[in-house]
Amino acid sequence: MIKAVAFDLWETLISDTPTVSSRQEEARLTRMAASLRREGFDVSSTEVEQAYRQLWSRCFELYWAKDLDIHANQQILHFLEALDLDPAAVGQTLLGELELAYAGAAIEHPPELVPNARETLAKVRQRNLKTGLVSNTGRTPGSALREVLASHGLSGELDVLVFSNEHGQCKPRPSIFEKLREGLALRFDEILFVGDNLYADVHGAQSCGMLAVHFTPATRGNAVAPPVDHGLDIVPHATIERLEDLDPILAELTG
């Protein structure tokens, strides 16, 4: 019997539309450049943008491609590395300012809610089911995402929140799903997972013994992992194009 439903976050409950994503990037680049210049570092806007892009490539190479993750402050160190700046010369105060500008852009320009996300979570709780969330974070850490969820009124609808930058590993690693299971205090076969990524969400959840629903909305934002052929035949328990279509599945699974 299913006793909890857990969700992916990006492009399942919230979506980084191209417009919002562009505003976030502009805010990051502008504020990080301004902070560096204010402290006497002669960096151009082009240099800051290039370092920002190199940071993504570096993190993908060292961590994300291996399903590992790091805190935002460590990402800032890679940003400074790309600028050939010594963190010791930068100092702790400026490091904190850079991290705030980098991690906080999604708070100032929050992602949009996926249609019916709030209503779907409310229906799950009306069925007396526990709820959870497991998110691979990328540039926006769990600390910022908690504020984003609160701004959308979702914090009270989720019992357990697990973020990859805080855990150190990403979906589909079993350990991040184990963190969810521990928080819910349930067996894996009592949890249904819903996500838009067939490999990270569906395969990851199924590998641990959970049922998994693949969410395939008609439109998706920018927070989509690049497709990778893992040579796996992944068959979800069900596939839905709208979050509201989850409720009939829950009715069947909960009797």
Side-chain angles (χ1 to χ4, degrees):
M1 173 87 57
I2 294 299
K3 297 182 179 179
V5 181
F7 296 83
D8 165 54
L9 180 57
W10 292 106
E11 307 308 331
T12 300
L13 295 180
I14 61 174
S15 177
D16 240 355
T17 65
T19 298
V20 171
S21 182
S22 178
R23 289 173 180 167
Q24 292 171 0
E25 181 172 290
E26 182 180 359
R28 288 188 183 105
L29 295 175
T30 301
R31 293 184 180 180
M32 291 168 79
S35 293
L36 286 165
R37 290 172 190 148
R38 188 170 57 248
E39 295 301 319
F41 293 96
D42 184 19
V43 293
S44 68
S45 297
T46 299
E47 289 171 328
V48 170
E49 182 174 353
Q50 289 175 343
Y52 178 81
R53 310 242 178 266
Q54 289 175 34
L55 156 65
W56 180 270
S57 298
R58 189 68 169 150
C59 285
F60 185 82
E61 173 191 0
L62 294 177
Y63 314 109
W64 299 329
K66 303 173 184 177
D67 298 326
L68 303 174
D69 209 350
I70 56 172
H71 284 273
N73 56 8
Q74 294 172 278
Q75 293 190 37
I76 293 301
L77 296 181
H78 286 302
F79 170 72
L80 294 175
E81 176 187 17
L83 284 170
D84 291 325
L85 293 179
D86 182 358
V90 169
Q92 290 300 314
T93 299
L94 181 52
L95 284 173
E97 287 185 19
L98 292 171
E99 181 182 351
L100 183 62
Y102 181 77
I107 300 173
E108 181 181 358
H109 303 285
E112 297 179 1
L113 275 182
V114 169
N116 285 293
R118 187 182 293 111
E119 295 81 358
T120 296
L121 281 168
K123 285 187 177 181
V124 171
R125 296 185 71 83
Q126 286 168 10
R127 291 186 176 278
N128 294 317
L129 299 172
K130 292 183 177 181
T131 56
L133 179 147
V134 182
S135 173
N136 291 351
T137 54
R139 293 196 193 275
T140 307
S143 56
L145 290 171
R146 286 183 176 86
E147 294 195 40
V148 169
L149 290 168
S151 72
H152 284 306
L154 297 187
S155 295
E157 302 294 335
L158 293 160
D159 298 312
V160 177
L161 303 172
V162 184
F163 298 105
S164 62
N165 75 294
E166 298 172 352
H167 177 65
Q169 295 189 345
C170 302
K171 295 175 294 182
R173 289 282 188 103
S175 69
I176 198 167
F177 291 106
E178 173 62 22
K179 190 74 173 178
L180 167 75
R181 188 203 65 76
E182 289 176 356
L184 293 171
L186 295 171
R187 301 191 311 269
F188 277 126
D189 62 5
E190 296 174 317
I191 306 169
L192 174 72
F193 197 83
V194 182
D196 72 300
N197 189 295
L198 194 61
Y199 176 64
D201 297 324
V202 175
H203 171 69
Q206 289 179 335
S207 296
C208 294
M210 286 184 272
L211 289 180
V213 170
H214 189 203
F215 177 48
T216 60
T219 59
R220 302 168 82 193
N222 286 7
V224 177
V228 178
D229 183 7
H230 295 280
L232 299 169
D233 184 19
I234 305 170
V235 181
H237 174 76
T239 299
I240 58 174
E241 295 182 357
R242 306 177 307 165
L243 284 178
E244 56 264 42
D245 294 334
L246 179 64
D247 195 56
I249 296 172
L250 293 179
E252 176 187 348
L253 292 174
T254 59

